[in-house]
Amino acid sequence: MNASRETKTITPPDVLARKGGTPLVCLTAYTTPMGRLVDPHCDIVLVGDSVGMVLHGLPSTLGVTVEMMIMHGKAVRRGVERALMVVDMPFGSYEEGPEQAFRNAARLMAETGCAAVKLEGGESMAATIRFLTARGVPVMAHVGLTPQAVNTFGGYRVQGRGEDAERIRRGAAAIAEAGAFSVVLEKVPEPLARLITREIAIPTIGIGASPACDGQILVTDDMLGLFTAFKPKFVKRYANLGDDTEAAIAAYADEVRGRRFPAAEHVFADTPKSVGASSVKDGEAA
């Protein structure tokens, strides 16, 4: 990150100050090019452990490692200048206790240049969040459907229906009191997300939650139609780039097999057309 750049980077306190204001725009990124594309439009860019499913073909997020998050975090850092960059703490990197969480969070921040980490869990993570924030690690929390607990939940089911709503409410209140600067509410009933947003003092960021949340997040590859293995109900497709990409690849393959590509304009002559500076175009010899 260039310390001399004039662009003002959004910070965790900036996000906290947006409670009840203009909704926060959040998307995921795992690569430098995607980081550059989302950065001008987003307040928060999350390097999510969803990378395991989206880019690595894993069946869940459970196989993602700290090393993977560091690799993708470094890549995104090169493309993000204004948005707050948050990196997910993967499964097994923080659940053992506050000390383990601090070691891994400190490593993620030092090696990726991110300004905050995200971890999953409600009341059970309050002590860890308090420990981290007291030591200079800004924390985004995550309650409701927490994908790292998919085996405990028995699948990607809506959380917080009926009597279970109180568990989610207590969890959100606990992590807010512990010092998290924001919390993701995933796949919870709309009225519950609306209630929690009203009750807690930190911004709520919804994904399959409520338009009343203080912000929204989606996996970028989902909303662009690049990841097509499945489509959650809460995803709106703003493009179908997967279909467009497949069509482009098919057209390329057809032209190669039909010897229509490369054409004359894509190949080079024996000698330059002319001598001198005019013979060079876009860094290539004519």
Side-chain angles (χ1 to χ4, degrees):
M1 187 171 65
N2 185 354
S4 66
R5 71 187 183 200
E6 296 181 0
T7 303
K8 183 185 183 302
T9 301
I10 296 171
T11 66
D14 293 331
V15 170
L16 184 59
R18 292 275 291 274
K19 177 68 180 180
T22 303
L24 293 154
V25 178
C26 317
L27 285 170
T28 62
Y30 317 118
T31 64
T32 303
M34 191 60 77
R36 287 178 179 146
L37 287 171
V38 301
D39 183 52
H41 309 284
C42 291
D43 302 298
I44 299 172
V45 173
L46 173 66
V47 185
D49 60 359
S50 49
V51 67
M53 302 173 74
V54 174
L55 293 191
H56 293 272
L58 299 177
S60 72
T61 63
L62 299 182
V64 175
T65 65
V66 171
E67 287 70 27
M68 289 168 67
M69 297 310 302
I70 288 172
M71 177 180 68
H72 290 285
K74 286 180 175 179
V76 174
R77 178 74 275 172
R78 298 182 193 110
V80 170
E81 293 190 348
R82 73 171 285 281
L84 171 67
M85 190 178 104
V86 181
V87 175
D88 260 338
M89 298 194 70
F91 179 70
S93 69
Y94 60 93
E95 295 90 342
E96 186 177 328
E99 290 82 4
Q100 181 207 27
F102 179 77
R103 286 194 301 273
N104 286 313
R107 184 182 173 197
L108 285 170
M109 294 182 73
E111 295 192 35
T112 69
C114 70
V117 298
K118 183 171 77 65
L119 55 78
E120 297 181 2
E123 285 184 289
S124 64
M125 285 295 112
T128 293
I129 292 171
R130 187 174 292 107
F131 188 91
L132 293 177
T133 56
R135 287 158 178 79
V137 179
V139 177
M140 174 185 286
H142 186 154
V143 300
L145 173 64
T146 47
Q148 293 174 10
V150 62
N151 291 324
T152 300
F153 294 148
Y156 296 95
R157 300 175 179 176
V158 175
Q159 300 295 306
R161 282 178 169 156
E163 294 181 357
D164 189 44
E166 190 58 30
R167 174 179 66 87
I168 307 298
R169 285 181 69 187
R170 288 197 312 269
I175 57 94
E177 190 276 330
F181 70 90
S182 61
V183 58
V184 172
L185 302 180
E186 180 169 358
K187 211 167 182 180
V188 299
E190 196 280 333
L192 176 60
R194 186 178 294 267
L195 176 62
I196 291 172
T197 299
R198 187 166 64 243
E199 288 181 336
I200 66 176
I202 64 174
T204 59
I205 299 170
I207 177 167
S210 171
C213 288
D214 298 297
Q216 302 293 330
I217 187 167
L218 284 175
V219 172
T220 303
D221 297 69
D222 283 342
M223 57 90 76
L224 292 178
L226 287 168
F227 180 75
T228 57
F230 57 87
K231 178 180 174 294
K233 177 183 178 180
F234 54 74
V235 171
K236 177 177 178 179
R237 288 262 166 85
Y238 287 82
N240 287 291
L241 301 188
D243 291 344
D244 293 345
T245 301
E246 185 175 4
I249 292 169
Y252 164 75
D254 182 66
E255 289 192 5
V256 169
R257 293 188 179 109
R259 296 192 183 278
R260 298 187 301 279
F261 177 84
E265 63 266 30
H266 305 122
V267 296
F268 302 91
D270 283 340
T271 58
K273 292 179 181 178
S274 60
V275 178
S278 62
S279 66
V280 178
K281 182 180 179 182
D282 296 330
E284 296 281 1

